[in-house]
């Protein structure tokens, strides 16, 4: 629930890493639930989650080719209605450029992982029957699909491995090594059934100094029905011997009971499993993946919430004297990131659906990234607004709002789709008026002040720098918001295609809910 990627994403990206493959492709945005309701912000969050799971080449599903004479909305077959008739199509390039930069970078990078996870697939099949990924109806144990996320959300990195991988690895200096991948920790979540050769390989890993973590239970059955009692006894003996090795490299650890993220964080601390980045606090919507690019450390960190702002202190495990840089995937710029004393410690402000690429480099000179203090109080712009509506169907109308609210709550605009201009004259003082924060915006916004366009915001905080545009006294403020298409389709009661896709959906919020503040 609440995720873009399926469990199989991490399986496939792990396999690719183990096999030395650089491209990990995934069909994305195959939208069968809210095709016409999806904002570019929704699409960004799904794409970011896909990248976190190891995907670096996104195959969009897909552009809706349709004859122009086909009744609106045209021919539709799944997908997120990537089509020139979609209201936000003019801004699609914003997301595409962002995604292209991230994809290019991650295709050139090597994902970091020091934790290997062996899923209890044999036990799952024995208990529940074979499951069809990526839509399993049953799973074992309960937390299995969230385990890799918990590792990443606590700043670590992991790969899923198979028994075959373990048996064909070599073990030295506390590492399990397979091709170019190596791990110092192996997690075995509630595994009951194990091949004897795998059990022996795990024992060899422990003897070489590797960390073995049996979660909740230890293996006690072999995979074969032949000589079953003898083979089961062998599995128990090997596991017991592993647990009794001097040095305490193999341990039993209790299963999670509730919050898997906090549970893994405690395990990480209890067992001295070193993450690549340590957050001062975890969050269910905060996730990261870490990489090596040309010997340098790269971190992709994303907030998958559509509403919550996340503030965290992050301490990165990187080489000394390297400096953090923000690589802006929207613009392509590289900017020095301010640090909190130590070069490897920074404060991250991640608005809803925001993401950052942090690269550590020996280069120390450049333009600084301007961080923005979250939660500033400011003067709320009160009073009425004049709305000019340019409907997707070609109609135009005006509306006066005494206060900002969700346009779906107003009968006149409930089924609107298109562009809305919010206009107002406001008195400002250039000494104290540096930014305008639009608050809660559902849609793509463009802000114009005194006739000068100050840019586009299509996700996250809709905050605009007005310092070079504001004038003393009266200022003319115009905000264009481009809405989604879906609410309009819900109102087309005689349109079979529109109703097929939207009748089961709720209205999706649109417009500026504010409050709009001057900061």
């Amino acid at each position: 629930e609440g995720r873009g990627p399926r469990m199989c994403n991490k399986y496939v990206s792990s396999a690719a890493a183990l096999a030395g493959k650089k491209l990990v492709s995934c069909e994305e945005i195959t939208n069968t639930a809210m095709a016409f309701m999806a904002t570019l912000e929704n699409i960004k969050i799904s794409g970011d989650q896909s990248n976190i799971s190891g995907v670096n080449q996104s195959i969009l599903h897909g552009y809706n080719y349709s004859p122009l004479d086909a009744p609106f909305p045209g021919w539709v077959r799944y997908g997120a209605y990537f089509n020139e008739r979609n209201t936000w199509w003019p801004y699609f390039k914003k997301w595409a450029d962002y995604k292209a930069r991230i994809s290019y970078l991650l295709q050139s990078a090597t994902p970091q992982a020091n934790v290997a996870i062996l899923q209890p697939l044999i036990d799952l099949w024995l208990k529940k029957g074979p499951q069809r990924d990526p839509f399993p109806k049953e799973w074992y144990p309960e937390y299995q699909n969230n385990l890799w996320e918990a590792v990443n959300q606590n700043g670590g990195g992991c790969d899923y491995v198979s028994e075959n991988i373990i048996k064909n690895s070599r073990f030295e200096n506390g590492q399990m090594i397979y091709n170019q991948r190596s791990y110092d920790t192996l997690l075995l979540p509630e595994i009951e059934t194990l091949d004897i050769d795998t059990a022996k390989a795990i024992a060899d890993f422990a003897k070489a100094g590797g960390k073995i973590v049996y979660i909740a239970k230890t293996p006690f059955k072999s995979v074969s029905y032949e000589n079953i009692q003898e083979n089961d006894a062998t599995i128990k003996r090997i596991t017991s011997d592993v647990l009794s090795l001097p040095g305490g490299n193999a341990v039993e650890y209790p299963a999670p009971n509730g919050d898997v993220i906090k549970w893994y964080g405690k395990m990480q601390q209890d067992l001295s499993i070193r993450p690549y980045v340590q957050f001062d606090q975890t969050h269910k919507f905060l996730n990261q993946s870490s990489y090596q690019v040309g010997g340098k450390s790269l971190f992709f960190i994303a907030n998958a919430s559509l509403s919550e702002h996340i503030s965290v202190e992050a301490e990165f495990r990187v080489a000394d004297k390297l400096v953090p840089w923000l690589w802006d995937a929207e613009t392509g710029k590289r900017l020095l990131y301010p640090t909190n004393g130590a070069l490897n410690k920074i404060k991250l402000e991640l608005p809803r659906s925001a993401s950052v690429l942090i690269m550590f480099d020996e280069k120390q000179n450049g333009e600084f990234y301007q961080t923005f203090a979250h939660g500033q109080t400011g003067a709320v712009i009160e009073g009425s607004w004049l709305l000019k509506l340019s409907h997707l169907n070609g109609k135009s109308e005006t509306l006066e709002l005494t206060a900002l609210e969700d346009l779906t709550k107003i009968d006149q605009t409930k089924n609107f789709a298109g562009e809305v201009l919010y206009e107002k004259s406001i008195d400002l003082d250039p000494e104290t008026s540096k930014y305008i924060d639009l608050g809660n915006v559902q849609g793509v916004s463009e802000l114009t002040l005194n006739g000068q366009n100050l840019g586009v915001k299509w996700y996250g905080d809709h905050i605009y720098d007005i310092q070079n545009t504001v004038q003393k006294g009266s200022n003319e403020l115009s905000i264009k918001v481009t809405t989604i298409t879906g609410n309009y389709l819900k109102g087309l009661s005689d349109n079979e295609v529109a109703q097929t896709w939207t009748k089961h959906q709720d209205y999706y919020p649109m417009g500026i809910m504010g409050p709009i503040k001057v900061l």
Side-chain angles (χ1 to χ4, degrees), residues 323-340:
V323 178
W325 289 75
L326 176 90
W327 286 19
D328 189 334
E330 284 191 79
T331 65
K333 289 183 178 180
R334 305 180 187 190
L335 303 166
L336 278 168
Y337 202 99
T339 58
N340 296 334

Side-chain angles (χ1 to χ4, degrees), residues 214-216 252-256 263 267:
Y214 298 102
I215 300 173
E252 292 184 70
Y253 201 85
W263 165 82
M267 177 201 288

